[in-house]
Amino acid sequence: MPVEVTWWGHATCTIEDSNIRVLTDPLFARRLAHLRRRRGALPPPEAWRADVALVSHLHADHLHVPSLARLAPGTRLLVPRGAPRTVPGLRRLSHLAVTEVVPGDRTTVGDLRIRAVPAWHDGRRLPLGPHRSPALGYVIEGEARTYFAGDTGLFDEMAEVVGPVDAALLPVGGWGPHLGAEHLDAGRAAQALARLAPRSAVPVHYGTYWPIGMDAVRPHEFHAPGDEFVRLAALHAPGVAVHRLGHGERVLLEAAR
């Protein structure tokens, strides 16, 4: 059975594997603080349906409480350890089955095994205080092994801690004109792809949100990362099939043999 991936925008994806729907970093807002959604319609109610939702880290564009509140009662929710302490709104989502995880933890949902893996990124809930939670990626193992990187920079142990995967959902940009080292741009994402060597990849985390009033500031950082990743991936990892999706588009990926 093939695995289906839908990109809803930013880091929000639905991964359907083994008849289980996995939702990543749900963000269903038209506006978030100083950011507005510049491209792609808001995800439809279909996007809210999930058996399990994964939160990679505590930044508000990845752990968005109003979006999580839309999930159906009983939905499993995996969050970095310490998230409920740091984000009070999360504790009010009593209709969700929340589990706190750290790198190395494994969770079973139906026929899926979900493994939390490290990410190189600031895990704090800025600007609320010093409490730290780990930034995470996740490997979803069912018919295929799919790596959702969350938000991360390139780090030496990435391939080792992630392990062999069939598909990689990699961030290739951001929501502003400048990216720090703890992020993947198109070039670093292509290097990560060469290290991970999956069969297929989907670029995410670009071309969706942008600061209000800054449409003319380095617009290529908003528009270009997806195409640039496709170009650089062909140079660094020519054996990987890269699927650059539009918002709301989906792709069937070959399952593991």
Side-chain angles (χ1 to χ4, degrees):
M1 178 185 298
V3 173
E4 186 175 81
V5 173
T6 305
W7 183 49
W8 302 111
H10 204 53
T12 306
C13 302
T14 295
I15 302 161
E16 297 188 59
D17 187 338
S18 305
N19 295 314
I20 300 293
R21 288 174 62 93
V22 181
L23 181 64
T24 66
D25 287 349
L27 182 58
F28 306 137
R30 190 176 303 278
R31 178 173 176 175
L32 174 63
H34 64 298
L35 306 178
R36 68 178 175 90
R37 191 176 179 111
R38 282 193 58 202
R39 180 184 285 173
L42 286 176
E46 173 196 356
W48 310 349
R49 294 193 299 108
D51 298 290
V52 58
L54 312 178
V55 169
S56 63
H57 63 291
L58 305 194
H59 293 173
D61 57 322
H62 293 259
L63 196 171
H64 186 246
V65 173
S67 294
L68 294 174
R70 296 183 180 183
L71 302 182
T75 302
R76 299 281 300 274
L77 177 63
L78 305 188
V79 300
R81 186 165 65 188
R85 176 189 64 177
T86 306
V87 185
L90 190 57
R91 299 197 294 268
R92 294 194 289 270
L93 301 181
S94 58
H95 68 295
L96 303 179
V98 179
T99 301
E100 301 179 48
V101 295
V102 297
D105 284 351
R106 298 172 184 265
T107 304
T108 300
V109 181
D111 291 331
L112 292 187
R113 297 168 303 282
I114 301 174
R115 176 167 52 94
V117 298
W120 181 38
H121 197 69
D122 189 338
R124 292 176 296 173
R125 179 72 165 187
L126 301 174
L128 293 184
H131 296 303
R132 287 188 176 273
S133 291
L136 304 173
Y138 294 92
V139 177
I140 300 103
E141 302 182 44
E143 294 288 337
R145 292 160 299 188
T146 303
Y147 171 45
F148 169 65
D151 212 352
T152 185
L154 187 65
F155 57 99
D156 291 341
E157 303 84 8
M158 177 180 280
E160 178 183 350
V161 299
V162 171
V165 291
D166 302 294
L169 313 185
L170 296 178
V172 302
W175 53 253
H178 300 284
L179 285 175
E182 294 183 359
H183 298 80
L184 294 181
D185 59 11
R188 291 191 289 267
Q191 293 178 51
L193 198 63
R195 298 182 186 187
L196 295 166
R199 296 179 186 176
S200 56
V202 176
V204 302
H205 203 275
Y206 76 100
T208 308
Y209 291 90
W210 203 248
I212 294 170
M214 296 185 66
D215 291 4
V217 178
R218 297 175 61 85
H220 62 284
E221 298 289 356
F222 179 84
H223 294 285
D227 289 333
E228 184 70 355
F229 175 69
V230 172
R231 183 182 73 83
L232 293 173
L235 295 175
H236 293 279
V240 180
V242 177
H243 305 274
R244 190 184 69 79
L245 303 179
H247 294 82
E249 290 186 346
R250 60 196 63 193
V251 62
L252 291 176
L253 304 179
E254 183 182 359
R257 293 187 180 92

